[in-house]
Amino acid sequence: MNKLIIIKYGELTTKKGNIKLFIKTLKKNIEVALKDFEYKIEYDNGRMFIFGEELEKMESRLEKVFGIHEIVIGYEFDSIDIEDLKENLKDLIQNEKITAFKVRTKRSYKEYPLTSMEVSRILGGVVLKTIPESIVDVHDPKTFVDVEIRMNKSYIYLDGKSGLHGYPLGVQGKGLLMLSGGIDSPVAGYLAMKRGVRIEGIYFESPPHTSEAAKEKVKTLTQILSRYSGYIKLHVINFTEIQEAIYKNIPKEYLITIMRRMMYRITERIAHKNNAKIIVNGESIGQVASQTLTSMSVINAVTNMPVIRPVACLDKLEIIALAKKIETYETSILPFEDCCTIFVPEHPVINPDLSLCEEYEKLVDFETLLKDAIKNEEVVTIREDDKKFEDLL
Ligand code: ATP
Ligand code: MG
């Protein structure tokens, strides 16, 4: 008998053409998540099996890997004989608390002399006999007793833990996440990662108007997100000159609109340079003046790159619930100003006019400023286990 972790794949099994790439990517991501452990992986198109000593610790790491539907700790046996299965099941459940249960049998070895139903019925009888308070409940079981029969091995396990679902990180290529210190953008990043998009971050700072502490906060958020990917590359862009030029030359109600158009322009260029195919950000329809539909379209007009807004249609409370779940919330609400809040005019335009924006943008040589900002970017790779940012959590 071998104790092992059995991984059931997430949504990827429905994507027939891509299945090889999905499983290969998932395996690579699991290897990153388990880099501190000794283990062995075996896999096929239906399951991944992980053998090793510290299964419980590995299991908790796997809970942060996208593309996993369920993680179970189970047992592998070298016999598929029904008498052996009965004995093995009896031994395994001796000390378990089982009330309402259902046996599920999966038989990938089709030559097996018994049908799945027959195996389930026989093994259900074993559970009833071994545990007096157990009852069969096929409609609303509290416990699933799972049995899998393969060509020369069988597996038995009880309920597993839910995985994160989604697609393995990276199968969809890369996106550049506009990461501010707020609540929304880390959640947007998490949701994009969940769909298989590897992210890099971009943060605009405006020292001395924004503080070093605000930047550290963004790095801390990046590190929390890196729990799901092992590491994240963060591009820090000094936005001071651009922001001051906007402030000095552009009518107040258009400050934010133009500022965001500049952010998008830089983000698009950094994305191209780093092979990111999409921009991801935390905009949510109607949340602030720059996120009305008109504002979004006028701001969006500077780029042809797809801009994915995973939280666009969520309520703030729904976003907050997710932020709490992924543990970015407490950091996000730390009170450091970001570069948007400093220059916020009293009455930002909520229906900006595109041609006016284009006129205003001729007032300053923004192209030179954009190029300088990009040339001077600071790039840091933040890892899940970097000590530095852990202290800030
Ligand atoms: P968040 O809570 O994510 O900060 P918000 O509600 O404060 O969002 P805005 O400040 O209007 O909204 O920003 C909208 C989105 O633009 C953010 O979610 C983020 O993706 C991006 N963004 C805003 N400020 C910055 C910044 N300084 N650096 C990088 N991205 C930014
Ligand atoms: Mg913000």
Side-chain angles (χ1 to χ4, degrees):
M1 179 184 84
N2 269 323
K3 199 173 173 189
L4 79 168
I5 293 176
I6 299 168
I7 289 179
K8 300 185 186 178
Y9 304 142
E11 224 173 302
L12 57 92
T13 47
T14 59
K15 299 275 179 285
K16 287 271 183 286
N18 284 335
I19 198 158
K20 279 214 167 66
L21 171 70
F22 278 51
I23 294 173
K24 227 175 77 191
T25 309
L26 179 62
K27 178 168 172 276
K28 225 169 57 201
N29 294 345
I30 285 177
E31 284 164 357
V32 172
L34 300 183
K35 64 181 186 310
D36 305 329
F37 297 91
E38 293 272 342
Y39 62 91
K40 195 175 102 222
I41 293 191
E42 287 172 10
Y43 65 99
D44 60 25
N45 280 358
R47 299 272 186 267
M48 206 168 276
F49 302 100
I50 300 178
F51 303 88
E53 290 299 317
E54 299 175 278
L55 295 180
E56 277 78 13
K57 282 191 190 155
M58 288 198 265
E59 184 188 36
S60 69
R61 295 282 178 91
L62 294 169
E63 283 173 43
K64 293 221 162 27
V65 176
F66 291 111
I68 295 178
H69 177 68
E70 202 182 339
I71 311 157
V72 282
I73 295 189
Y75 298 86
E76 181 189 69
F77 303 94
D78 286 332
S79 165
I80 58 173
D81 183 88
I82 189 70
E83 291 308 316
D84 289 337
L85 279 171
K86 283 162 71 176
E87 268 314 298
N88 292 335
L89 177 62
K90 193 173 135 205
D91 291 347
L92 278 186
I93 59 174
Q94 290 286 352
N95 301 316
E96 295 286 341
K97 279 201 183 55
I98 298 178
T99 52
F101 76 95
K102 175 182 178 179
V103 179
R104 291 187 294 199
T105 303
K106 206 170 164 253
R107 216 181 41 133
S108 55
Y109 177 48
K110 298 297 176 202
E111 317 290 293
Y112 198 65
L114 298 167
T115 66
S116 299
M117 293 273 274
E118 286 166 337
V119 175
S120 292
R121 198 157 357 99
I122 294 168
L123 295 182
V126 172
V127 178
L128 290 171
K129 224 166 107 190
T130 313
I131 302 187
E133 58 280 13
S134 66
I135 48 162
V136 175
D137 185 342
V138 292
H139 301 295
D140 188 23
K142 298 270 173 300
T143 306
F144 284 106
V145 177
D146 283 303
V147 179
E148 294 191 25
I149 300 170
R150 301 192 159 220
M151 184 128 74
N152 42 29
K153 289 198 192 303
S154 59
Y155 301 85
I156 302 177
Y157 49 91
L158 303 183
D159 297 321
K161 291 197 173 148
S162 178
L164 277 186
H165 302 260
Y167 295 144
L169 191 78
V171 286
Q172 297 293 347
K174 210 195 287 173
L176 185 56
L177 169 69
M178 299 173 71
L179 186 60
S180 65
I183 296 168
D184 306 328
S185 45
V187 172
Y190 170 85
L191 292 174
M193 287 198 275
K194 183 170 179 180
R195 300 317 293 164
V197 180
R198 178 172 287 285
I199 56 164
E200 293 188 10
I202 182 165
Y203 168 60
F204 296 90
E205 61 165 354
S206 294
H209 313 296
T210 59
S211 63
E212 194 60 27
K215 176 155 92 176
E216 289 299 299
K217 175 180 162 181
V218 171
K219 289 184 176 174
T220 305
L221 289 170
T222 307
Q223 184 169 47
I224 298 174
L225 287 179
S226 75
R227 291 174 191 166
Y228 302 91
S229 61
Y231 67 92
I232 291 177
K233 205 162 133 186
L234 179 69
H235 302 261
V236 180
I237 303 290
N238 187 316
F239 203 55
T240 311
E241 278 196 48
I242 296 172
Q243 199 150 20
E244 287 178 352
I246 295 172
Y247 194 65
K248 276 189 208 121
N249 297 285
I250 307 286
K252 295 284 167 285
E253 70 272 21
Y254 270 76
L255 287 184
I256 300 275
T257 316
I258 304 286
M259 189 185 86
R260 297 195 60 76
R261 282 164 62 89
M262 296 302 159
M263 281 186 181
Y264 268 51
R265 287 186 170 104
I266 293 176
T267 303
E268 182 199 53
R269 294 184 198 183
I270 299 278
H272 274 309
K273 249 176 51 181
N274 292 276
N275 298 318
K277 296 192 190 83
I278 58 166
I279 295 170
V280 179
N281 70 32
E283 290 172 348
S284 179
I285 298 171
Q287 202 183 77
V288 287
S290 61
Q291 291 165 27
T292 63
L293 293 187
T294 314
S295 283
M296 279 194 195
S297 63
V298 168
I299 291 163
N300 209 149
V302 301
T303 178
N304 286 323
M305 189 173 265
V307 180
I308 303 296
R309 302 171 174 86
V311 302
C313 299
L314 298 187
D315 291 344
K316 193 76 191 187
L317 287 177
E318 293 171 316
I319 302 173
I320 288 174
L322 277 170
K324 286 184 175 161
K325 186 184 131 195
I326 64 170
E327 297 177 326
T328 51
Y329 182 73
E330 295 301 325
T331 306
S332 287
I333 58 173
L334 294 173
F336 302 123
E337 76 297 335
D338 68 35
C339 66
C340 305
T341 47
I342 281 182
F343 294 96
V344 178
E346 257 178 59
H347 300 293
V349 59
I350 52 175
N351 278 311
D353 181 274
L354 180 57
S355 48
L356 261 183
C357 287
E358 287 163 354
E359 283 309 307
Y360 293 152
E361 286 170 359
K362 287 181 192 147
L363 297 172
V364 178
D365 177 12
F366 280 116
E367 187 50 37
T368 302
L369 295 179
L370 292 178
K371 283 201 177 110
D372 282 349
I374 290 169
K375 200 173 72 205
N376 295 324
E377 73 165 334
E378 173 201 334
V379 185
V380 269
T381 298
I382 295 179
R383 286 170 205 285
E384 174 197 21
D385 45 9
D386 283 344
K387 270 279 161 287
K388 191 162 161 223
F389 303 111
E390 249 169 38
D391 298 343
L392 293 165
L393 297 179

